[in-house]
Amino acid sequence: MNVRTAITAAALAASLAGALATAAKAGPAPAQPGADKCYGIALAGKNDCAAGAGTTCAGTSTVDYDPGHWKYVAKGTCEGMKTPTGHGMLTPM
């Protein structure tokens, strides 16, 4: 195996490992006592789960502040959170 082939193989292995890690966390984040699911506040890739078509769950949102994705926040704070698109919501839009 030459150096170029070894580098290509290493890059492919790293890509596969990353894809497997993403797939492994594709479910919802574990329940958090004392927290609310707050929709519309998560940044892209930082959601705790998703609601709606085209998503698989935690960490899969592709846009900031999508009203169909939620993130856990301290109980009672969601609706007071302001984003560039509005406030957090306790139910999906």
Side-chain angles (χ1 to χ4, degrees):
M1 182 180 298
N2 66 31
V3 173
R4 184 174 174 178
T5 304
I7 291 171
T8 301
L12 287 172
S15 268
L16 179 59
L20 290 175
T22 299
K25 74 171 205 177
Q32 296 181 12
D36 286 327
K37 293 177 183 177
C38 189
Y39 292 84
I41 64 160
L43 298 176
K46 303 293 181 181
N47 62 310
D48 288 331
C49 201
T55 60
T56 56
C57 229
T60 61
S61 62
T62 57
V63 296
D64 291 345
Y65 315 116
D66 185 326
H69 293 91
W70 55 265
K71 183 150 188 72
Y72 280 119
V73 298
K75 195 166 268 316
T77 64
C78 176
E79 294 173 310
M81 294 184 162
K82 189 171 182 185
T83 72
T85 61
H87 290 274
M89 303 165 291
L90 293 173
T91 57
M93 222 170 158

